[in-house]
């Protein structure tokens, strides 16, 4: 009879959350450099930033605050604590990185694919260490538990509205490239985030 696999240590979790938050922060810097948007609460924070001139970091941090209560009920305090840390770290990094990370000319297609891959890698690391970047995913799972309506459809509906609003702030070509980045992100997670293939 095989023994259960060892769980992640505290050091493992710290590394995973730091890596995931850093990758996501680099992606946000790249997205805003290109004038792109993305989905979920990160996309909402970016849009608010475009419309108001407010920095992404504080907006993203505040937007996520109401979701922790749902996360506590659905996943428990450990998940909420790790997610709060990831969101706070991402928010801080997006304020710091622009002083040290600068992009030149990037073709929109390459930028979209790179942003999707960076965020996908970051979110996979966060998921595998029992964390997230909060937001609509938690709402989707909560609604799914309460009503049976699939969480994926909740997220898809939110993103559809978000990209619709983006068309009022960005040109259609930019929104189209942004959609490519969001597609790459979701494909990365869909293909690689499999509990039956990853045990830790």
């Amino acid at each position: 009879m095989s023994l259960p696999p060892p769980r992640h240590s505290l050091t493992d979790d710290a590394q995973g959350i730091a890596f995931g938050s850093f990758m996501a922060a680099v992606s946000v810097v790249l997205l805003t450099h290109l004038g792109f948007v993305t989905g979920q609460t990160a996309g909402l924070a970016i849009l608010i930033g475009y419309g108001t001139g407010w920095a992404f970091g504080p907006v993203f941090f505040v937007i996520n605050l109401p979701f922790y209560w749902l996360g506590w009920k659905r996943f428990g305090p450990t998940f909420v604590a790790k997610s709060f840390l990831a969101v706070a770290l991402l928010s801080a990094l997006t304020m710091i990185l622009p002083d040290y990370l600068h992009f030149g000319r990037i073709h929109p297609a390459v930028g979209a694919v790179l942003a999707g891959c960076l965020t996908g890698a970051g979110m996979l690391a966060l998921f595998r260490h029992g964390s997230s970047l909060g937001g609509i995913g938690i709402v989707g799972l909560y609604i799914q538990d309460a009503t049976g309506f699939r969480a994926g459809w909740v997220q898809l509906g939110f993103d559809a509205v978000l990209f619709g609003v983006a068309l009022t702030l960005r040109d259609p070509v930019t929104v189209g490239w942004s959609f490519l980045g969001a597609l790459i992100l979701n494909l990365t997670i869909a293909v690689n985030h499999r509990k039956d293939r990853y045990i830790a």
Side-chain angles (χ1 to χ4, degrees):
M1 186 174 180
S2 61
L3 295 173
R7 308 299 296 178
H8 285 302
S9 68
L10 183 62
T11 302
D12 293 337
D13 285 342
Q15 179 278 145
I17 292 171
F19 172 84
S21 300
F22 181 78
M23 289 293 100
V26 172
S27 180
V28 169
V29 175
L30 175 59
L31 286 168
T32 52
H33 169 76
L34 293 167
F36 287 0
V37 296
T38 188
Q40 307 301 301
T41 47
L44 178 58
I46 288 174
L47 279 184
I48 291 173
Y50 289 154
T52 64
W54 297 342
F56 170 88
V59 173
F60 183 67
F61 183 82
V62 170
I63 284 175
N64 274 289
L65 291 176
F67 297 108
Y68 295 123
W69 178 76
L70 292 178
W72 187 293
K73 294 188 67 175
R74 177 63 171 76
F75 298 108
T78 300
F79 170 82
V80 169
K82 290 180 178 180
S83 296
F84 181 87
L85 179 60
V87 168
L89 187 55
L90 170 60
S91 299
L93 285 169
T94 58
M95 302 291 288
I96 297 168
L97 277 176
D99 291 334
Y100 301 93
L101 179 63
H102 304 276
F103 296 102
R105 180 184 176 277
I106 304 174
H107 190 282
V110 175
V113 172
L114 180 58
C117 290
L118 286 169
T119 308
M123 292 188 72
L124 284 171
L126 293 173
F127 292 160
R128 290 176 177 181
H129 290 273
S131 180
S132 78
L133 292 176
I136 301 304
I138 295 174
V139 175
L141 289 170
Y142 189 82
I143 291 174
Q144 180 173 291
D145 287 349
T147 68
F149 190 75
R150 297 298 297 271
W153 289 112
V154 175
Q155 292 180 254
L156 182 62
F158 179 85
D159 283 351
V161 173
L162 190 69
F163 276 91
V165 173
L167 286 169
T168 67
L169 296 171
R170 320 305 288 175
D171 64 273
V173 174
T174 298
V175 175
W177 288 122
S178 300
F179 180 79
L180 173 63
L183 178 63
I184 295 295
L185 162 61
N186 286 306
L187 285 174
T188 299
I189 293 172
V191 171
N192 293 285
H193 185 50
R194 293 279 301 274
K195 289 185 178 180
D196 57 330
R197 291 181 182 174
Y198 181 84
I199 302 172

